[in-house]
Amino acid sequence: MGLKRAGGLLLAVLLAGTLWLAATAAPERPPAPGAETTNWLAAHSLAIDHDELFVDGDAVRFRAAFAESPRGVRTDPHGGRLEAPYLATRLWSGSILLAGERGPFLLNALALVLAAAAASRALRTPLGAAAAVWVALLLFGSVAFTAVFRWQSEVLVFAAVVLAGALVWGREAPASVDRGADQIYGGDVEKRAALWVWPLAGLLVGAAAVRHPAYALIAIPMLFDLPPTGKRGSRVWAGALFAVSLLLPIGFVVAAQGAPWEAPVA
């Protein structure tokens, strides 16, 4: 078995194990006091009560699930709204409606799977057959994968950033062998991301920036990879689509609840 197949198999086994734990053990773990408890309450409140207000019914629901009272709950002092990540709460709430208590953890696990697959493909050119092995080591040789089992949005943000990076930078390199004389110059031209990639990458970066504005900094190196200057029309369109798409999630959240960065960051 070659390194490429062995690495792919290793990564697949680790991801499958993560999915299994997310569907079985993770829902039984009580969320930690503070941000995790707040996120649990907000997701269930939105899914069941269709709001994000902390009332007695939410505390009763928490005690019924974990036989203890919620601690460290973070709420807006003016309106009693639970201070949970806006976009992540909506994703978790929808997954609760679809798959019950295991839904949010399966969502987190699927985000990790997508990030791992995108990273393996994007790193195939610089790392060759060892790409999947390195991705497995980086994800599972650290505490990164444990975010799947927590009521925190880090794994969703991580997946959004990795997917955006893979879209912009994860192209196959031009072939360097078996080229004819007429391909010597044309074959070495660096491939650029297609026009449709830019609005999707912008949405992903914008969604990550809703969690913390520092994530918007990843847009700066991405702008250097816009289509070549010779294709001015494509360059302008790609840059405009990227910028507008990046601002859309931020503008949506600001319009819906105000500045998203006022809540404490977990």
Side-chain angles (χ1 to χ4, degrees):
M1 181 183 295
L3 180 60
K4 181 178 179 180
R5 293 184 63 185
L9 179 60
L10 172 64
L11 184 58
V13 169
L14 291 173
L15 291 173
T18 302
L19 280 166
W20 179 77
L21 288 173
T24 56
E28 303 298 325
R29 169 187 168 271
E36 281 197 76
T37 292
T38 303
N39 295 344
W40 188 99
L41 291 167
H44 284 77
S45 179
L46 186 60
I48 299 170
D49 302 328
H50 309 297
D51 61 37
E52 295 171 79
L53 300 176
F54 183 50
V55 296
D56 291 340
D58 297 303
V60 170
R61 186 182 299 128
F62 189 92
R63 284 194 294 270
F66 303 110
E68 62 182 62
S69 297
R71 293 178 292 157
V73 180
R74 301 175 180 179
T75 60
D76 178 1
H78 303 293
R81 180 183 173 276
L82 289 156
E83 292 187 336
Y86 187 89
L87 295 179
T89 298
R90 274 134 190 85
L91 292 174
W92 289 328
S93 174
S95 65
I96 289 172
L97 294 175
L98 289 174
E101 292 302 313
R102 69 184 64 182
F105 300 103
L106 288 175
L107 175 67
N108 290 348
L110 289 174
L112 184 71
V113 169
L114 286 175
S120 296
R121 184 180 183 279
L123 294 173
R124 193 178 304 158
T125 296
L127 298 181
V133 173
W134 277 108
V135 170
L137 289 175
L138 291 172
L139 289 181
F140 294 94
S142 67
V143 298
F145 78 101
T146 62
V148 169
F149 314 118
R150 299 182 182 279
W151 280 93
Q152 294 178 338
S153 61
E154 278 73 7
V155 70
L156 300 176
V157 173
F158 169 74
V161 172
V162 171
L163 289 171
L167 284 170
V168 173
W169 295 308
R171 280 96 59 203
E172 297 290 341
S176 58
V177 295
D178 296 331
R179 293 181 296 158
D182 59 338
Q183 296 177 312
I184 291 177
Y185 297 101
D188 287 335
V189 176
E190 181 184 357
K191 289 188 177 181
R192 297 280 174 159
L195 192 62
W196 65 268
V197 160
W198 293 100
L200 185 54
L203 284 173
L204 291 167
V205 174
V210 167
R211 188 67 186 101
H212 196 287
Y215 286 108
L217 294 176
I218 194 67
I220 297 175
M222 287 181 176
L223 291 174
F224 288 104
D225 211 50
L226 288 169
T229 306
K231 300 180 180 179
R232 292 190 181 275
S234 297
R235 188 179 185 87
V236 171
W237 270 108
L241 289 171
F242 181 71
V244 171
S245 299
L246 188 153
L247 293 174
L248 277 177
I250 300 174
F252 173 76
V253 175
V254 169
Q257 72 157 30
W261 307 299
E262 294 175 350
V265 177

